[in-house]
Amino acid sequence: MANYRILFNPKANGGKGKEEAEKLSSILTGDSLSFEDITAITSWSDFFASLGEGELPVLTGGDGTLNRFVNDTDGVDYPCDILYYPTGTGNDFAADVGIRSGEAPKVITDYLKDLPVVRVNGMTRRFLNGIGYGIDGYCCEVGDDLHAAGKTDVNYAGIAIKGLLFHFKPRNAKITVDGVTEEVKKVWLAPAMNGRMYGGGMIPTPDQKRLAPKEEKQLSVLVWHGSGKISTLAVFPSIFKGEHLGHPKMCNVKTGRKVRVEFDAPTALQIDGETVRNVTSYEAEI
């Protein structure tokens, strides 16, 4: 019999985080499970010290919960493996690394090591999936406003389509990768990616490797630029299969260890799905 501390985020999956986490009781049958609200943990050093011999923590939630965990535990050594069971809405990390709801939790410790950082609007954060800047950040901003207004069934695909056609205006940008700067017109997307996936199933950088050796690891930056509204809308669905790179006149990927993106007008940015508003530039670095 194994002993697990199940950590749930009550806000995950539209407020169903605890309910979804409790489904582990029917998956880990015969094991000992205790449930704990991750948002109530004030000291991760104390939490890890409280683990019994052989007891393992299981994170549940989505990408936002994972982002909170990796930042709250920054500088804290993990004394044991960290397991994960996805219960979020988008679950891009889980989809990227092959973890499925309904199956036993998987060890994710290696994915939490040596994470890149982003510096934006005076703060520094580690990130697990990627930094979205452009219409992806705009979609998160609009989605947050709809949630705040009480709407529960937010359709991000619909937000993206309306944004492409009517509301979001592409920016001119300076994109610097490892000291080399390029000025680009009409930028729709300029994310810096640690993984392959973000945004509820989009695959902007299909060749990005999360677990490359530390000395070889790089970030991948998709630059989607120069296209008009109709041509962008026509190609956009292909990003969900990673096939947008078959359109090199509008989509290309740059790789490097240090990235800076500057827009000529403020735009929302998202870090693993968490929105930062009014951003004119960001830096991401291995």
Side-chain angles (χ1 to χ4, degrees):
M1 181 181 74
N3 296 318
Y4 297 107
R5 294 268 287 276
I6 311 300
L7 304 174
F8 67 88
N9 182 350
K11 296 181 180 180
N13 202 343
K16 297 179 181 179
K18 184 178 182 182
E19 176 184 339
E20 292 296 314
E22 288 174 342
K23 292 180 180 179
L24 283 169
S25 297
S26 61
I27 297 172
L28 301 173
T29 56
D31 294 317
S32 174
L33 279 61
S34 62
F35 293 83
E36 189 169 346
D37 183 347
I38 195 173
T39 65
I41 296 174
T42 57
S43 170
W44 282 100
S45 296
D46 290 346
F47 169 81
F48 286 124
S50 74
L51 292 173
E53 184 176 356
E55 191 174 35
L56 291 174
V58 179
L59 290 172
T60 69
D63 298 304
T65 303
L66 288 170
N67 181 274
R68 175 175 181 151
F69 176 78
V70 298
N71 281 284
D72 286 353
T73 61
D74 190 13
V76 177
D77 291 329
Y78 304 143
C80 59
D81 276 330
I82 309 297
L83 282 71
Y84 177 58
Y85 179 77
T87 65
T89 304
N91 296 323
D92 287 302
F93 170 79
D96 193 7
V97 305
I99 300 176
R100 296 176 178 83
S101 295
E103 299 179 355
K106 301 293 192 300
V107 175
I108 62 168
T109 316
D110 286 345
Y111 293 107
L112 309 181
K113 299 176 181 177
D114 303 320
L115 291 174
V117 299
V118 59
R119 301 179 185 89
V120 57
N121 286 9
M123 67 178 179
T124 300
R125 297 280 298 277
R126 298 203 294 172
F127 63 96
L128 194 61
N129 294 329
I131 306 304
Y133 196 34
I135 195 166
D136 44 1
Y138 161 83
C139 289
C140 287
E141 182 178 37
V142 173
D144 286 354
D145 290 342
L146 291 173
H147 281 301
K151 189 173 178 60
T152 57
D153 56 339
V154 175
N155 185 331
Y156 286 93
I159 294 172
I161 291 170
K162 291 179 181 178
L164 282 168
L165 289 175
F166 306 114
H167 305 299
F168 180 80
K169 295 182 179 180
R171 310 311 200 218
N172 297 326
K174 291 183 180 179
I175 299 173
T176 303
V177 179
D178 289 346
V180 179
T181 300
E182 180 181 4
E183 296 192 16
V184 188
K185 302 292 186 182
K186 293 180 66 176
V187 174
W188 294 94
L189 288 171
M193 300 296 297
N194 178 56
R196 297 181 308 129
M197 301 179 68
Y198 79 160
M202 291 192 289
I203 313 175
T205 53
D207 295 324
Q208 174 65 11
K209 295 178 175 59
R210 290 178 180 270
L211 295 182
K214 184 177 180 180
E215 62 277 6
E216 299 176 11
K217 189 171 181 179
Q218 295 186 321
L219 297 170
S220 292
V221 185
L222 168 65
V223 185
W224 190 317
H225 65 98
S227 53
K229 293 181 178 181
I230 301 303
S231 57
T232 300
L233 183 61
V235 173
F236 193 76
S238 67
I239 198 173
F240 289 91
K241 295 183 178 180
E243 296 174 352
H244 55 295
L245 298 182
H247 302 268
K249 289 186 177 180
M250 64 176 75
C251 300
N252 55 78
V253 174
K254 303 174 182 294
T255 58
R257 293 179 64 85
K258 187 172 184 178
V259 175
R260 179 176 175 84
V261 178
E262 303 170 69
F263 277 5
D264 64 354
T267 308
L269 172 148
Q270 61 90 8
I271 307 171
D272 290 341
E274 301 299 311
T275 308
V276 183
R277 299 171 185 252
N278 297 315
V279 175
T280 54
S281 68
Y282 77 86
E283 290 185 355
E285 185 175 10
I286 297 293

